[in-house]
Amino acid sequence: MSSATVEIPPPNINVGYRTSASDDLALFHRTLSELCRAQVPLSRALWLLQTDLRRGKLRTAVGEMAQAVEEGTPLDAAYEQHKDQFPELYRALVEAGIASGNLPGVLDEIARHAHDRAQVAERLRRALAYPVVAAIFVIVLGVALVAFVGPQLREAMTSISSATLSDDTPVLVPPWVTAVGGLGILALAVIAALSFAWLRSPLDAGSALDSIGYRLPLLGRLRLNAAKASFASTMALLAKRGLPLPKALALATAATDDKRIRRCVDVMASRARDGASLTEAVRAGDLISPSLLWLVEAAESSGTAAHALDDVARIYRERLERAVDRMCTLATPLAELLLGVVVLGFAVSYMLPIVQYAEKIAG
């Protein structure tokens, strides 16, 4: 990048208070990419961005990064110092961009990744908005029933039983009525909490043992397609800059934040160090499906493997879109069904004793 200073107005990326953290990161990296292409020195670009960001942790982190870069700290090291705001994946991608000489392209890829995360999360939140609000209402109502109505119902039914039936008649409202109601509320609250935690980062499979996040119905396919698209895009960026295959795969490994994908890329890197071609290495990793691997194999012989990897990334992003569509289509009815089961459990647990009592009187 040229050291000449290009005077341009500060970019307007004041994203407001309704956007998510992923939206903020997407806009930040997209604008930083444009400033880099305009040959604005990195430190000045970061200062411009910091000035226009809304107040918050990201603005503070960008200001500290600008100061560090101005003092000679490499950009990837500046990312490393702010892990709470920038995922490890982004730091590794920045390192790969610097090594390949295509930092603006990598920043664009980071922006796309953050944008995808934000869009998926937003669509799923909208699909689950009504069920979540209804679940909160049921939880509040259920707590009131368990804490206040249940004990009073038991006391009232016991008094009525004593007055209308023989003394040896057992209490008609057993303790399990309140217990079942309490367990239903607890289960609903746990599910709601897990759903909320998942919706914060729906594209992250995490580091669970054997990557269990990729084997979940619907959700697993969504996360796996996102991870494959990210890998293919990263490899395309590195291949376009002519990096040796072992070095490119080593950087791709560092830019992978899940154990399963990282193991596959490690296998590819090992084969590349042994002299395997790109197609042979990717086939050994068993990460890209055979139908798409054929695109890479056909393009490698003509020296256009990087463009083929771009096509692979685009196809996986399209598959991700379809997976999100299926998820949104099924999420609302499944959540409503679960909510209905909990409500039915409450109704049965509180109405059954009354029905039993009525049968006792009629008999």
Side-chain angles (χ1 to χ4, degrees):
M1 186 184 305
S2 171
S3 59
T5 300
V6 178
E7 293 297 335
I8 62 175
N12 182 16
I13 60 168
N14 195 329
V15 294
Y17 289 89
R18 293 188 177 182
T19 56
S20 67
S22 292
D23 278 320
D24 291 358
L25 287 172
L27 290 171
F28 166 76
H29 286 96
R30 188 175 298 116
T31 309
L32 181 59
S33 171
E34 293 303 321
L35 291 173
C36 288
R37 287 193 175 94
Q39 297 187 347
V40 179
L42 268 177
S43 59
R44 177 165 174 76
L46 291 170
W47 281 124
L48 288 172
L49 289 169
Q50 190 268 346
T51 301
D52 205 54
L53 280 170
R54 63 184 172 91
R55 294 185 181 275
K57 294 181 179 179
L58 180 59
R59 179 177 181 174
T60 301
V62 171
E64 293 174 355
M65 288 173 61
Q67 183 66 39
V69 171
E70 199 171 64
E71 294 173 354
T73 302
L75 184 60
D76 56 324
Y79 270 74
E80 179 74 18
Q81 295 171 1
H82 296 280
K83 295 180 180 179
D84 55 333
Q85 294 300 312
F86 300 99
E88 176 66 20
L89 169 65
Y90 294 175
R91 184 210 62 77
L93 284 173
V94 167
E95 180 184 359
I98 294 172
S100 66
N102 187 21
L103 181 59
V106 167
L107 292 173
D108 281 336
E109 179 61 28
I110 293 174
R112 178 187 294 170
H113 182 274
H115 175 74
D116 287 345
R117 287 162 53 99
Q119 290 298 307
V120 168
E122 181 63 23
R123 291 177 64 183
L124 292 174
R125 289 188 191 107
R126 288 180 179 179
L128 293 175
Y130 169 73
V132 168
V133 172
I136 294 174
F137 174 78
V138 170
I139 291 173
V140 173
L141 182 61
V143 169
L145 288 173
V146 171
F148 304 105
V149 178
Q152 293 182 8
L153 177 63
R154 291 184 62 190
E155 184 178 348
M157 292 296 293
T158 301
S159 299
I160 295 174
S161 299
S162 301
T164 57
L165 301 175
S166 59
D167 294 338
D168 59 351
T169 300
V171 177
L172 297 178
V173 185
W176 62 261
V177 172
T178 303
V180 168
L183 290 175
I185 286 295
L186 179 61
L188 189 60
V190 169
I191 293 173
L194 291 176
S195 299
F196 176 78
W198 167 65
L199 285 174
R200 295 182 63 186
S201 301
L203 293 185
D204 294 336
S207 56
L209 185 62
D210 294 330
S211 299
I212 190 173
Y214 287 128
R215 293 182 292 157
L216 296 175
L218 295 178
L219 176 59
R221 183 171 295 276
L222 184 152
R223 286 172 162 172
L224 187 58
N225 286 329
K228 289 182 177 181
S230 179
F231 164 76
S233 295
T234 302
M235 285 300 299
L237 286 168
L238 298 174
K240 288 175 184 177
R241 303 305 300 181
L243 260 70
L245 183 57
K247 175 64 174 177
L249 286 169
L251 289 171
T253 301
T256 303
D257 56 0
D258 179 82
K259 287 184 177 180
R260 173 181 173 179
I261 305 298
R262 182 168 292 181
R263 285 197 295 267
C264 294
V265 182
D266 278 337
V267 171
M268 297 181 202
S270 176
R271 290 297 304 276
R273 287 191 293 270
D274 292 338
S277 65
L278 173 62
T279 303
E280 294 170 342
V282 174
R283 183 181 289 112
D286 195 25
L287 182 61
I288 296 178
S289 60
S291 59
L292 298 182
L293 183 60
W294 177 85
L295 293 175
V296 179
E297 184 175 8
E300 189 175 14
S301 59
S302 60
T304 58
H307 297 291
L309 287 169
D310 272 334
D311 290 337
V312 170
R314 175 181 52 80
I315 292 171
Y316 275 121
R317 279 192 290 269
E318 291 174 355
R319 292 182 180 180
L320 171 63
E321 284 295 317
R322 291 197 294 270
V324 173
D325 288 340
R326 288 193 293 269
M327 190 76 176
C328 291
T329 300
L330 296 175
T332 299
L334 287 176
E336 291 177 344
L337 177 62
L338 176 62
L339 198 59
V341 169
V342 174
V343 173
L344 177 63
F346 266 111
V348 170
S349 64
Y350 280 88
M351 291 301 297
L352 185 60
I354 298 177
V355 173
Q356 290 176 341
Y357 176 73
E359 292 176 348
K360 214 62 156 166
I361 294 294

